Amino acid sequence: EDQVTQSPEALRLQEGESSSLNCSYTVSGLRGLFWYRQDPGKGPEFLFTLYSAGEEKEKERLKATLTKKESFLHITAPKPEDSATYLCAVRRDNYGQNFVFGPGTRLSVLP
Amino acid sequence: ETGVTQTPRHLVMGMTNKKSLKCEQHLGHNAMYWYKQSAKKPLELMFVYNFKEQTENNSVPSRFSPECPNSSHLFLHLHTLQPEDSALYLCASSQVGNDSPLHFGNGTRLTVT
C-alpha cells in the first residue's frame, strides 16, 4: 500500500537553530515528491517538486533533497516567520493526478 | 482575483440543512479537486475532475455531491451531514499532462451541529 509518513510530528526550534524534517514514502511508480507549507487557517502553499534521487531544490532558508526512500526539508537559521505545518506529498502517475499526502510536521520557531 | 478562491470561508450548518461550497480557479488549469482535512490526519482526496469529467470518487458518502460546470468552477453540495463531517474542505487545481503541482484555495471551515 502506498504510504507517506513524516517525522517529527512537531518540532520547536530557537531562532537560528538549523534542523531537518523527514518525509518517508513507499509508493510504486513515483512521479514527483512535493513539499508544501500550510499556515493556520490557510490552504497549503506549494514550495518544491523533486523528481529523482540526488535532486536538490532551494528557496531562501529551505532546501529539499530526495533519495529513493525519503526526502528531507532542511531549514537553515530559521526565523519565527518560518513557523508553519510542512506537508509532503507524492504523485503516483503523470496523468491521473493521484497525490498521497503525509500528515505533516508542525514547526514552531521561537524568537 | 488570482489563484484559487473558495467561499464561504466558514460555514456552520445543522444536520438537516442543505448548503453548497464554491471554488473558482483563475490559473487556466484543467483539473480540479476536493480534499478534506481533519485534525491530525493527512489530506483525504474526495473528488477529481479532469476536463470537467469526474475521474475519481474516493468512496465518498452520497451526502457529498460534487458539480463541475466548467473547468474554472467547482461546487460541493452538502445535505444531511453528520458531526464527523466537520473539517476544513480544500479545493485545488492543476494542469493535467505536465508536472504541475496542486494549487490550493484557503478552504472552507465547516462545522456540523
Side-chain angles (χ1 to χ4, degrees):
Chain A
E1 181 185 344
D2 296 339
Q3 193 172 11
V4 178
T5 59
Q6 292 186 246
S7 62
E9 182 176 330
L11 180 63
R12 296 182 70 174
L13 299 174
Q14 289 295 133
E15 184 172 1
E17 180 186 0
S18 302
S19 189
S20 297
L21 313 183
N22 175 265
C23 171
S24 296
Y25 61 91
T26 54
V27 62
S28 54
L30 179 71
R31 294 291 184 265
L33 184 140
F34 302 79
W35 282 99
Y36 288 84
R37 169 194 170 124
Q38 186 174 21
D39 293 298
K42 293 195 170 184
E45 175 189 350
F46 170 68
L47 294 173
F48 304 110
T49 308
L50 301 164
Y51 293 103
S52 55
E55 188 175 358
E56 297 183 355
K57 294 273 181 75
E58 284 190 67
K59 180 179 180 180
E60 297 181 358
R61 294 176 292 282
L62 301 177
K63 183 170 79 172
T65 62
L66 182 64
T67 72
K68 287 188 177 180
K69 295 291 185 185
E70 58 190 351
S71 177
F72 292 94
L73 185 65
H74 307 278
I75 306 176
T76 302
K79 298 182 177 181
E81 53 261 42
D82 294 322
S83 298
T85 296
Y86 291 85
L87 305 173
C88 79
V90 297
R91 182 169 61 193
R92 291 181 282 191
D93 59 79
N94 273 335
Y95 190 85
Q97 302 295 295
N98 199 339
F99 294 81
V100 179
F101 279 83
T105 292
R106 191 171 64 255
L107 174 67
S108 301
V109 182
L110 307 176
Chain B
E1 290 278 10
T2 58
V4 180
T5 56
Q6 290 186 244
T7 55
R9 290 297 314 277
H10 302 273
L11 178 62
V12 179
M13 60 186 289
M15 288 191 284
T16 58
N17 292 158
K18 289 185 180 181
K19 297 286 184 183
S20 295
L21 310 184
K22 179 182 175 182
C23 175
E24 183 174 1
Q25 60 97 1
H26 308 271
L27 299 169
H29 290 162
N30 53 21
M32 296 188 78
Y33 311 72
W34 281 115
Y35 278 87
K36 177 182 179 181
Q37 188 174 36
S38 304
K40 299 194 175 184
K41 292 176 68 176
L43 269 70
E44 300 173 55
L45 178 65
M46 300 176 71
F47 302 104
V48 183
Y49 278 83
N50 286 342
F51 303 97
K52 303 187 300 177
E53 299 295 323
Q54 186 180 130
T55 57
E56 262 189 76
N57 173 341
N58 260 14
S59 303
V60 179
S62 59
R63 57 186 183 269
F64 295 92
S65 174
E67 178 189 1
C68 188
N70 55 59
S71 59
S72 297
H73 293 86
L74 185 65
F75 296 88
L76 188 63
H77 303 299
L78 316 171
H79 65 96
T80 58
L81 295 190
Q82 305 298 312
E84 60 264 29
D85 296 323
S86 299
L88 181 68
Y89 288 86
L90 292 163
C91 173
S93 70
S94 73
Q95 185 66 19
V96 173
N98 65 19
D99 295 330
S100 167
L102 295 172
H103 293 262
F104 287 89
N106 283 327
T108 294
R109 171 67 63 186
L110 174 67
T111 303
V112 181
T113 60

